[in-house]
Amino acid sequence: MAGFEAFGLFDPGSQDEPIDDDIFLSASELLEKKKPKKTTSTLATSMTRSKSGLNFKKSTTGVSRSVTSIDLKAAVRAGKGLRNRTQSEFTEEDYSYLPPEPQMGNIEYKLKLVNPSATRLEHLVTQMKWRLREGNGEALYNIGVEDNGEMTGLSDEDMSCSLDTLQEMARRLAATVQVLRQRRIPKTDVSPERIVAEILVRKVPEDQEAIELRLCVLGSADVGKSSLLGVLTQGELDNGRGKARLNMFRHLHEIQTGRTSSISHEILGFDSEGNSRDYTTCKTADEIGETSTKIITFIDLAGHQKYLKTTISALTGYCPHYVVLVVSATAGVVGMTQEHLGIAVALEVPFFIVITKIDATTADRLDKTLDSVEKTLKSAGSSKIPLRVNSSDDCITAANNSLKNNTVPIFCVSSVTGVGLDHIKNFLHLLPPGVGEKEVEKLEQETPEFQIDELFEVPGVGTVVGGLVTQGYIVENMQLAVGPFEDGKFRDVKVTSIRRNKTACRLVRAQQSAALALDIPLNQLRRGMVMTSRQGNMPKPCQQFQAEVCLLFHPKGIVKGFRTTVHIGNIRQTAHITEMTPLKKLESSDRALVTFKFLKNPEFVKVGTRILFREGRTKGIGRVTTVVPFKYLDANPDR
């Protein structure tokens, strides 16, 4: 918990144990650190190398699902490097090692794949299928690398044969292949110059139309969050007066003030070749979903202090895969920026930073903003390593390290001139899913459970609820039970229709967000309720629960009877503390078992769920350890 000291959430008196910085370095940074330093002349020469890329040919018979083996071989023989969109130079640095191959995950090392036997090829296809399942449809292959991470490299002919084999493996699984980048291993007295290639293999799971990611966008007011999302999703630059953000606003007062006060959603798609699919290339959201193999759902959140409870509710309720923290180049790191950064770290969600409005500031001011961001990330105990993204090669490195909690990519963009937008799109295209396919399959076997985050009354449709399917799956005309109500009971409802990404569908699975139409009056529902099936074990509501918490900050400390707003998933309700053990008074950085009691309605709370409570400057996090059933409290009111 000492990591929150960097964000002003802890008492500054505590100190962390010394940490070996090498364990937080990415592979490229670790190799760079171990390399002998170059002379000034050598460095100048390397900085003047020209960048080049290779555009693969597109099929004239329709949309190509994969790159042909002929094109893959041409990529290597031409010596120009990479695939069609992520244009990165042919790396000629003297790299020789990568981290050892991980046993789990979606990264695979192969020394070579030259003319395998039929049995060996079947084994390789099965291995690729497993790696794709680990990465929820995406896998990274490093060709010319041994299992211990040594970059031996291959000749042009062996690399061409290996790419042929890899393409055949992908074809059997109906997957796509993209050469992301290549590295040149310099020749020595005993071996000629050799090549190492990094390749992305992608296959949309059979039960999905596209690979999906949810990104929550945080940042202080007036930093350009909505304008940035408007430019990314609409495909048109801003005019400098907020034109791009109008498509993100939901209420008239938001248009009048220029500030977001609610939660809005928008999507950005990518096809199999990495091209973005927005409203300039597609007329409707249906078309974006049909032509995309990967869909990014942006959740635009309010940045003003008075809407902070709504922002936290979205972060805990929608369970985003990543968080985007937006910082203005003109204002720099302000108080609300540190507040949002501390919340993202508390929820343990991977995040990256986007610095906007670089066209409206000087180079000196931009450098100061970058330095302040990096200083905040590097502060004592934060354990964050900033990675400035200035090239397509940096985008690949940042995406490969995105799930590591210590690496934080930093992008500099302008929504008016368009500078840096290509880097963000390349990064989003390569960003790996946060949950593996095996984990999703396990969740789908559970009883259906849907968290209600938003409520709507749609003319001609009736009551519509928006939220997240946490487990199981839901289909049209399915009978569910919604609750808990004030008496702790659940009532039967019927799902009449389903929409996802603004498109009608018949089924929604675990870890997917959706909008469901229900046959129940809107005034009977509230945010924080859940829907589940009566066929399994019905959830037991509670009015009181115990959690192991850590108080991040309080100026004086809290005692029994303290009231605070509690956030647990989609639940947001005021509760008071009825008991604390073993401490009588909880001060900053203290840990204790705390019993909370909701003041109004019973809620459905699971053991092990993360809890975040906040009241004014008071902040604390923890996990639920014990839940007291609601009926038990009725029978024992003194408990």
Side-chain angles (χ1 to χ4, degrees), residues 1 23 68 70 121 145 147 229 299 306 318 346 461 504 525 595:
M1 299 298 177
I23 66 174
T68 66
I70 296 177
L121 184 60
V145 182
D147 290 344
L229 296 187
I299 304 174
K306 65 180 180 179
Y318 279 101
V461 178
L525 301 178
T595 302

Side-chain angles (χ1 to χ4, degrees), residues 258-513:
R259 290 181 175 178
T260 302
S261 62
S262 59
I263 304 170
S264 60
H265 304 251
E266 197 53 83
I267 61 173
L268 173 66
F270 294 94
D271 61 19
S272 58
E273 297 180 354
N275 301 311
S276 61
R277 309 294 294 175
D278 50 37
Y279 289 102
T280 59
T281 56
C282 303
K283 295 181 180 179
T284 62
D286 290 354
E287 188 177 350
I288 293 177
E290 292 172 357
T291 58
S292 300
T293 59
K294 188 171 188 176
I295 296 178
I296 309 294
T297 300
F298 293 105
I299 304 174
D300 189 19
L301 304 180
H304 198 276
Q305 171 73 28
K306 65 180 180 179
Y307 305 120
L308 186 58
K309 290 183 179 179
T310 302
T311 298
I312 297 177
S313 296
L315 281 172
T316 57
Y318 279 101
C319 301
H321 297 97
Y322 298 91
V323 165
V324 186
L325 182 62
V326 181
V327 180
S328 172
T330 56
V333 178
V334 296
M336 188 53 61
T337 304
Q338 294 183 344
E339 182 83 22
H340 288 163
L341 186 58
I343 294 171
V345 174
L347 296 176
E348 298 180 359
V349 183
F351 65 94
F352 60 94
I353 295 176
V354 177
I355 298 179
T356 58
K357 301 183 181 181
I358 62 173
D359 60 296
T361 188
T362 62
D364 291 340
R365 178 60 186 169
L366 178 60
D367 289 339
K368 290 181 180 178
T369 301
L370 284 168
D371 291 340
S372 64
V373 169
E374 293 181 348
K375 183 179 179 180
T376 303
L377 295 173
K378 291 179 179 179
S379 297
S382 65
S383 302
K384 302 299 179 184
I385 300 176
L387 173 62
R388 296 191 187 185
V389 178
N390 298 316
S391 66
S392 296
D393 194 70
D394 293 337
C395 293
I396 300 172
T397 302
N400 291 346
N401 292 277
S402 58
L403 293 178
K404 297 180 180 179
N405 291 329
N406 59 296
T407 305
V408 180
I410 301 177
F411 298 85
C412 296
V413 303
S414 169
S415 299
V416 176
T417 64
V419 174
L421 293 178
D422 287 342
H423 292 332
I424 291 185
K425 289 184 177 181
N426 289 341
F427 175 72
L428 294 175
H429 165 58
L430 299 172
L431 203 58
V435 180
E437 187 176 350
K438 292 193 300 183
E439 298 178 28
V440 175
E441 288 181 355
K442 291 180 181 179
L443 291 173
E444 290 179 358
Q445 304 302 319
E446 302 291 336
T447 304
E449 186 177 300
F450 182 87
Q451 294 182 348
I452 298 178
D453 293 307
E454 295 183 272
L455 301 172
F456 308 94
E457 181 74 33
V458 180
V461 178
T463 300
V464 176
V465 297
L468 179 71
V469 180
T470 57
Q471 63 184 41
Y473 61 89
I474 298 175
V475 298
E476 279 187 338
N477 300 320
M478 193 174 189
Q479 294 288 340
L480 297 175
V482 62
F485 290 86
E486 292 184 0
D487 56 0
K489 297 181 179 180
F490 285 73
R491 302 177 187 177
D492 293 332
V493 294
K494 180 181 179 181
V495 179
T496 57
S497 63
I498 304 174
R499 294 186 71 88
R500 295 190 61 251
N501 298 327
K502 303 182 180 180
T503 305
C505 63
R506 296 184 178 274
L507 181 144
V508 58
R509 299 179 181 274
Q511 298 300 303
Q512 293 181 343
S513 57

Side-chain angles (χ1 to χ4, degrees), residues 86-247:
T86 306
Q87 308 253 342
S88 179
E89 68 271 20
F90 194 112
T91 306
E92 299 181 359
E93 304 294 347
D94 186 19
Y95 294 113
S96 58
Y97 281 94
L98 288 176
E101 180 187 56
Q103 296 299 319
M104 308 298 292
N106 67 334
I107 299 177
E108 179 69 27
Y109 293 170
K110 289 297 179 188
L111 179 58
K112 61 180 178 180
L113 301 171
V114 178
N115 299 327
S117 63
T119 304
R120 172 63 174 164
L121 184 60
E122 289 297 330
H123 173 74
L124 292 172
V125 171
T126 303
Q127 189 180 55
M128 176 180 284
K129 185 177 181 180
W130 185 81
R131 289 295 187 183
L132 288 170
R133 286 170 58 87
E134 285 287 296
N136 197 18
E138 293 183 348
L140 285 174
Y141 271 71
N142 290 275
I143 306 298
V145 182
E146 299 187 24
D147 290 344
N148 62 359
E150 182 178 358
M151 301 173 67
T152 305
L154 298 176
S155 63
D156 288 351
E157 183 177 356
D158 286 347
M159 179 61 73
S160 298
C161 293
S162 297
L163 291 175
D164 282 344
T165 303
L166 190 68
Q167 175 65 30
E168 175 61 21
M169 293 158 53
R171 186 192 66 80
R172 296 191 180 193
L173 296 175
T176 61
V177 174
Q178 290 178 326
V179 180
L180 296 181
R181 57 182 171 182
Q182 301 167 31
R183 293 174 178 174
R184 191 187 302 277
I185 307 299
K187 63 181 180 179
T188 63
D189 296 336
V190 296
S191 64
E193 184 178 73
R194 292 175 174 267
I195 300 172
V196 173
E198 184 176 2
I199 301 160
L200 172 67
V201 182
R202 174 176 292 168
K203 180 183 185 299
V204 178
E206 296 178 357
D207 57 353
Q208 299 180 24
E209 295 181 356
I211 299 171
E212 298 184 12
L213 292 179
R214 291 185 302 276
L215 274 67
C216 281
V217 184
L218 297 177
S220 179
D222 303 323
V223 298
K225 301 185 300 296
S226 300
S227 296
L228 174 63
L229 296 187
V231 171
L232 288 174
T233 58
Q234 304 299 321
E236 296 181 0
L237 296 176
D238 189 35
N239 61 356
R241 296 186 296 275
K243 176 183 177 182
R245 68 188 178 189
L246 297 179
N247 293 301

Side-chain angles (χ1 to χ4, degrees), residues 20-92:
D20 183 6
D21 292 338
D22 285 355
I23 66 174
F24 299 118
L25 295 180
S26 64
S28 300
E29 292 167 333
L30 186 60
L31 292 172
E32 184 70 23
K33 182 177 180 180
K34 294 183 177 180
K35 284 193 323 181
K37 294 185 178 180
K38 294 184 177 182
T39 61
T40 305
S41 59
T42 305
L43 181 60
T45 303
S46 63
M47 292 178 64
T48 58
R49 289 181 183 135
S50 61
K51 298 183 178 181
S52 60
L54 179 66
N55 292 327
F56 290 125
K57 297 179 181 179
K58 296 182 180 179
S59 172
T60 58
T61 59
V63 179
S64 175
R65 288 286 297 174
S66 62
V67 180
T68 66
S69 59
I70 296 177
D71 291 331
L72 290 172
K73 289 194 294 184
V76 180
R77 290 174 178 170
K80 295 182 179 180
L82 309 181
R83 50 109 188 161
N84 51 356
R85 186 165 179 81
T86 306
Q87 308 253 342
S88 179
E89 68 271 20
F90 194 112
T91 306
E92 299 181 359

